[in-house]
Amino acid sequence: MSVVVYFSHDGETLLDGKHQQVSFGNTEVVAKTIARLVDGELVKLMPKPVYPVDYQATLARAKQEMKASQFPEIMPVKHDLKADEVIYLGYPIWWGTLPAVIKTFIRQTDLKGKTVYPFCTHEGSGFGRSIQELQQLLPDSDIQKGLAVRGSRVTCAQCAVNNWLGQKV
């Protein structure tokens, strides 16, 4: 069994270098595509309190969390991951790496022995340092090849997702 766990920022985002309002984040678009194709449940990670709608304010908070090694509280995850062997883990790249919300989830969840397929959205940095950080945070998990999707291209990422998932079949 598999599950798609992701964090995505709603509100204002950066697309092609411009701030734009979105009703759901770029990572959520990719997460929904993956969940549909693998027939996996979607689990959205929600920080408490939520990040500001304003993109610059969100990045400022994310930078502070990163510098201070803070782990923001997240809403309880209602899905029991014990039966899931495969975890698709999605996140935006902020400041070149994982958002603190993902680190909180990893600290709170036993992913030992799980196969983790990371996917991210970005605006030019690819995975940044996030894969290396995942390998450090999840030494007892099997981290597989991931998928990095440029945020401005999420609406036409179906082919990339299909190719990535096809490598796993």
Side-chain angles (χ1 to χ4, degrees):
M1 298 191 59
S2 64
V3 63
V4 180
V5 178
Y6 70 98
F7 166 68
S8 191
H9 177 255
D10 303 337
E12 188 178 67
T13 193
L14 189 65
L15 292 172
D16 289 327
K18 298 177 185 143
H19 294 271
Q20 296 181 26
Q21 290 293 322
V22 293
S23 53
F24 43 86
N26 295 330
T27 307
E28 186 168 348
V29 173
V30 179
K32 286 179 176 179
T33 300
I34 294 168
R36 187 176 65 253
L37 293 171
V38 302
D39 195 27
E41 185 172 338
L42 272 172
V43 175
K44 183 174 184 178
L45 301 176
M46 297 292 295
K48 286 181 10 183
V50 297
Y51 287 94
V53 170
D54 179 80
Y55 188 67
Q56 291 304 323
T58 293
L59 287 183
R61 176 175 157 190
K63 188 173 192 177
Q64 173 60 33
E65 289 169 346
M66 184 180 72
K67 282 185 169 185
S69 295
Q70 294 174 329
F71 299 96
E73 188 176 347
I74 60 175
M75 300 290 280
V77 173
K78 295 181 174 145
H79 179 84
D80 184 2
L81 289 123
K82 288 180 185 143
D84 297 304
E85 297 172 12
V86 175
I87 313 291
Y88 295 90
L89 183 62
Y91 48 88
I93 295 294
W94 286 351
W95 301 108
T97 195
L98 303 165
V101 172
I102 295 294
K103 295 176 189 177
T104 299
F105 169 74
I106 289 170
R107 289 170 59 112
Q108 293 178 356
T109 309
D110 180 11
L111 297 178
K112 185 177 184 177
K114 307 282 186 187
T115 301
V116 178
Y117 290 97
F119 64 96
C120 75
T121 55
H122 64 93
E123 274 306 311
S125 62
F127 274 108
R129 300 180 308 278
S130 69
I131 298 298
Q132 294 86 349
E133 196 157 1
L134 282 174
Q135 290 168 337
Q136 291 172 352
L137 294 168
L138 295 167
D140 297 320
S141 298
D142 182 15
I143 309 297
Q144 293 292 309
K145 182 178 181 196
L147 174 68
V149 177
R150 193 174 198 98
S152 57
R153 297 189 180 122
V154 296
T155 57
C156 56
Q158 178 80 42
C159 184
V161 172
N162 284 342
N163 288 337
W164 179 61
L165 291 174
Q167 296 172 5
K168 292 169 198 31
V169 178

Short mmCIF file of all heavy atoms in Angstrom, two decimals, residues 2 15 23 58 60 62 70 81-83 86 95 103 109 151 161 163 166-167:
data_model
loop_
_atom_site.label_atom_id
_atom_site.label_comp_id
_atom_site.label_asym_id
_atom_site.label_seq_id
_atom_site.Cartn_x
_atom_site.Cartn_y
_atom_site.Cartn_z
N SER A 2 0.34 2.31 -0.58
CA SER A 2 1.12 3.55 -0.63
C SER A 2 0.25 4.73 -0.22
O SER A 2 -0.98 4.68 -0.27
CB SER A 2 1.68 3.77 -2.03
OG SER A 2 0.65 3.94 -2.97
N LEU A 15 5.60 32.35 -9.30
CA LEU A 15 5.52 31.62 -10.56
C LEU A 15 6.18 32.46 -11.64
O LEU A 15 5.78 33.60 -11.87
CB LEU A 15 4.07 31.33 -10.95
CG LEU A 15 3.30 30.36 -10.06
CD1 LEU A 15 1.84 30.33 -10.44
CD2 LEU A 15 3.91 28.98 -10.15
N SER A 23 -5.23 29.09 -5.41
CA SER A 23 -6.18 28.53 -4.45
C SER A 23 -5.62 27.30 -3.77
O SER A 23 -6.08 26.91 -2.71
CB SER A 23 -7.52 28.22 -5.13
OG SER A 23 -7.31 27.42 -6.26
N THR A 58 5.84 34.30 4.42
CA THR A 58 6.04 32.85 4.58
C THR A 58 7.52 32.50 4.50
O THR A 58 8.03 31.74 5.33
CB THR A 58 5.24 32.08 3.51
OG1 THR A 58 3.86 32.27 3.77
CG2 THR A 58 5.57 30.61 3.53
N ALA A 60 10.02 34.44 5.12
CA ALA A 60 10.70 34.98 6.31
C ALA A 60 10.52 34.03 7.49
O ALA A 60 11.47 33.75 8.23
CB ALA A 60 10.14 36.37 6.63
N ALA A 62 9.87 30.81 7.28
CA ALA A 62 10.60 29.58 6.95
C ALA A 62 12.10 29.76 7.21
O ALA A 62 12.76 28.85 7.72
CB ALA A 62 10.36 29.19 5.50
N GLN A 70 13.99 25.24 14.26
CA GLN A 70 12.67 25.10 14.87
C GLN A 70 11.86 24.06 14.10
O GLN A 70 12.01 23.91 12.89
CB GLN A 70 11.92 26.43 14.83
CG GLN A 70 12.54 27.50 15.68
CD GLN A 70 11.84 28.84 15.49
OE1 GLN A 70 11.32 29.14 14.43
NE2 GLN A 70 11.85 29.63 16.54
N LEU A 81 -0.01 5.26 9.05
CA LEU A 81 0.98 4.88 8.04
C LEU A 81 1.59 3.50 8.26
O LEU A 81 2.40 3.06 7.47
CB LEU A 81 2.10 5.93 8.01
CG LEU A 81 1.67 7.26 7.43
CD1 LEU A 81 1.90 8.38 8.39
CD2 LEU A 81 2.41 7.50 6.15
N LYS A 82 1.19 2.81 9.31
CA LYS A 82 1.81 1.52 9.63
C LYS A 82 1.70 0.50 8.49
O LYS A 82 2.62 -0.25 8.24
CB LYS A 82 1.21 0.94 10.91
CG LYS A 82 1.65 1.68 12.14
CD LYS A 82 1.05 1.09 13.38
CE LYS A 82 1.43 1.96 14.57
NZ LYS A 82 0.37 2.08 15.54
N ALA A 83 0.56 0.48 7.80
CA ALA A 83 0.34 -0.51 6.74
C ALA A 83 0.96 -0.08 5.41
O ALA A 83 1.05 -0.89 4.49
CB ALA A 83 -1.14 -0.77 6.56
N VAL A 86 5.05 2.15 0.97
CA VAL A 86 5.61 3.18 0.11
C VAL A 86 5.02 4.53 0.48
O VAL A 86 3.80 4.68 0.59
CB VAL A 86 5.31 2.88 -1.38
CG1 VAL A 86 5.78 4.02 -2.28
CG2 VAL A 86 5.97 1.57 -1.79
N TRP A 95 14.53 27.92 0.71
CA TRP A 95 15.91 28.18 1.14
C TRP A 95 16.81 26.99 0.83
O TRP A 95 17.67 26.63 1.62
CB TRP A 95 15.96 28.58 2.61
CG TRP A 95 15.14 29.80 2.88
CD1 TRP A 95 13.96 29.87 3.53
CD2 TRP A 95 15.42 31.13 2.45
NE1 TRP A 95 13.48 31.14 3.53
CE2 TRP A 95 14.36 31.95 2.87
CE3 TRP A 95 16.47 31.73 1.74
CZ2 TRP A 95 14.31 33.31 2.61
CZ3 TRP A 95 16.42 33.08 1.48
CH2 TRP A 95 15.36 33.86 1.92
N LYS A 103 10.22 18.28 8.30
CA LYS A 103 11.10 17.78 9.36
C LYS A 103 10.30 17.41 10.61
O LYS A 103 10.59 16.41 11.26
CB LYS A 103 12.16 18.82 9.68
CG LYS A 103 13.12 19.06 8.53
CD LYS A 103 14.09 20.17 8.87
CE LYS A 103 14.91 20.56 7.66
NZ LYS A 103 15.81 21.68 7.96
N THR A 109 7.04 10.68 13.08
CA THR A 109 6.50 9.50 12.39
C THR A 109 7.58 8.45 12.21
O THR A 109 8.69 8.76 11.77
CB THR A 109 5.95 9.92 11.01
OG1 THR A 109 5.07 11.03 11.18
CG2 THR A 109 5.20 8.78 10.36
N GLY A 151 7.72 24.84 -10.24
CA GLY A 151 6.39 25.28 -9.83
C GLY A 151 5.58 25.89 -10.95
O GLY A 151 4.37 25.67 -11.05
N VAL A 161 5.41 13.19 -14.34
CA VAL A 161 4.95 12.30 -13.26
C VAL A 161 4.77 10.88 -13.80
O VAL A 161 5.20 9.91 -13.17
CB VAL A 161 3.65 12.83 -12.63
CG1 VAL A 161 3.07 11.80 -11.64
CG2 VAL A 161 3.89 14.16 -11.93
N ASN A 163 6.28 9.46 -16.35
CA ASN A 163 7.61 8.88 -16.58
C ASN A 163 8.26 8.46 -15.27
O ASN A 163 8.85 7.39 -15.17
CB ASN A 163 8.50 9.86 -17.32
CG ASN A 163 8.09 10.03 -18.77
OD1 ASN A 163 7.45 9.16 -19.35
ND2 ASN A 163 8.45 11.15 -19.35
N GLY A 166 6.52 5.48 -13.93
CA GLY A 166 6.78 4.35 -14.79
C GLY A 166 8.10 3.67 -14.47
O GLY A 166 8.26 2.46 -14.67
N GLN A 167 9.04 4.41 -13.92
CA GLN A 167 10.33 3.85 -13.54
C GLN A 167 10.21 2.91 -12.35
O GLN A 167 11.07 2.12 -12.09
CB GLN A 167 11.32 4.97 -13.21
CG GLN A 167 11.65 5.84 -14.38
CD GLN A 167 12.48 7.05 -13.97
OE1 GLN A 167 12.89 7.20 -12.83
NE2 GLN A 167 12.75 7.91 -14.94
#
